[in-house]
Amino acid sequence: MHDDLTAITEFAEETAIQAGELIIQERRQGSMEHNYKDATELVTQADIKADEFIAQRIRDAYPGHRILSEEAMPDLTQAENLDTPLWIVDPIDGTVNYAYGHAQVAVSIAYAEEGRVRTGVVHCPFQQETFMATHGQGALLNRMPIEVSGASNLRQSLIATGFPYGKDEIPTLIRRLERVLTQCRDIRRIGSAAVDICWVACGRLDGYYESVSPWDFAAARLIALEAGASCGHFSAVPDGYPEDLWGRDIIITAPGIHSALGALLPEPVAG
Ligand code: LIP
């Protein structure tokens, strides 16, 4: 089962960089036809083209593997099937940023065996930055080692989070944001979970929390773990579901502030 992980990481890196070139060209050519999933979630033609490009490369190189991708009718139960290797792909994380011409956009490609993410690549084409990690081999930014910050005081920490396309949880999220913002240095809302988490991995942020989809965070979470981050959830992970791929209520921080931030996130129990 254990294909050569270093070769897989290098394949994912090459694929992500090539997909990054594709989405840069698509934006330059202005072919920014917008569509909406469920009438709220933006998807562009570049999403579709990059997703098809990545999926075809994976199918050609690893025909027996499965692919869980944001743009290919995702079936989240795939994450619970541990029999064959699984690729977790977000062709454009930070879709709204992409559509508005912002730079914080990522191609995210993760590879998992038996529910554990073993390699991850997050390529930010507009910033010419490639974050990557192979299980047990550390984390890299443009092939140079990275590590989390030494933050140990929440009040002096910079925390990132984000908000879903749907609006029904906003009141709870705003109450949570108020608890965090009154206890930390400041908040950042960058618009891409993959970028948020990789910035924790390299010390540009001290912590991150959010609920997102597996393809948004799977690769970046491994990169953060390999860079020394503490990764967890501030609510229960369903029994038997791989925690590496469970995206609800995730918290990823420099070790020194993990418990302090984690204590603020659950909704206080009335009483
Ligand atoms: C995005 C996430 C981000 C979240 C956005 C959106 P997308 O993913 O990366 O953390 O706050 O609402 O879900 O839609 O750009 O792939």
Side-chain angles (χ1 to χ4, degrees):
M1 168 83 76
H2 296 278
D3 287 277
D4 173 0
L5 290 180
T6 302
I8 287 177
T9 304
E10 290 172 352
F11 167 81
E13 178 194 26
E14 183 181 354
T15 302
I17 290 171
Q18 290 180 14
E21 279 306 310
L22 186 158
I23 67 174
I24 286 175
Q25 291 309 319
E26 285 291 305
R27 194 157 87 172
R28 276 190 188 140
Q29 289 161 9
S31 55
M32 292 297 294
E33 181 186 333
H34 297 178
N35 297 294
Y36 288 84
K37 290 184 264 187
D38 307 323
T40 57
E41 187 171 347
L42 178 66
V43 60
T44 68
Q45 279 307 308
D47 279 286
I48 306 300
K49 286 184 178 179
D51 185 69
E52 290 170 350
F53 168 80
I54 294 167
Q56 192 57 55
R57 270 184 60 93
I58 293 171
R59 284 193 291 267
D60 291 347
Y62 299 97
H65 294 187
R66 290 174 296 118
I67 302 171
L68 175 61
S69 165
E70 177 171 24
E71 304 311 334
M73 302 296 288
D75 169 8
L76 291 184
T77 62
Q78 287 236 50
E80 299 173 84
N81 173 346
L82 307 183
D83 296 339
T84 50
L86 177 69
W87 293 79
I88 308 99
V89 175
D90 191 346
I92 299 180
D93 190 54
T95 306
V96 174
N97 287 350
Y98 178 80
Y100 276 80
H102 299 186
Q104 288 75 21
V105 172
V107 178
S108 179
I109 301 176
Y111 167 78
E113 291 176 343
E114 297 166 352
R116 302 308 307 270
V117 175
R118 294 306 186 197
T119 78
V121 173
V122 172
H123 175 60
C124 304
F126 299 101
Q127 295 174 299
Q128 296 180 331
E129 291 190 328
T130 306
F131 298 85
M132 58 196 282
T134 303
H135 174 66
Q137 298 182 25
L140 304 174
L141 166 54
N142 292 351
R143 295 285 179 140
M144 296 298 290
I146 54 175
E147 63 180 11
V148 293
S149 76
S152 58
N153 182 335
L154 188 58
R155 283 196 177 279
Q156 296 166 5
S157 296
L158 191 59
I159 306 298
T161 190
F163 306 98
Y165 290 103
K167 302 302 181 185
D168 53 359
E169 289 195 270
I170 293 301
T172 298
L173 297 176
I174 294 303
R175 289 194 296 272
R176 180 175 294 153
L177 183 66
E178 180 183 7
R179 294 195 298 271
V180 174
L181 189 51
T182 52
Q183 298 290 323
C184 74
R185 178 195 302 272
D186 204 350
I187 290 286
R188 292 292 182 270
R189 197 284 193 256
I190 290 167
S192 161
V195 172
D196 288 328
I197 299 167
C198 286
W199 283 19
V200 173
C202 67
R204 294 176 186 165
L205 292 167
D206 300 306
Y208 161 82
Y209 70 91
E210 191 176 5
S211 292
V212 286
S213 299
W215 44 80
D216 295 321
F217 78 93
R221 180 180 181 276
L222 175 70
I223 293 163
L225 274 171
E226 291 293 327
S230 295
C231 299
H233 296 81
F234 54 95
S235 65
V237 176
D239 287 344
Y241 199 97
E243 70 169 311
D244 288 15
L245 301 175
W246 181 250
R248 182 150 186 85
D249 294 344
I250 56 179
I251 171 175
I252 296 174
T253 71
I257 59 164
H258 199 76
S259 56
L261 178 61
L264 299 177
L265 300 179
E267 190 81 349
V269 176

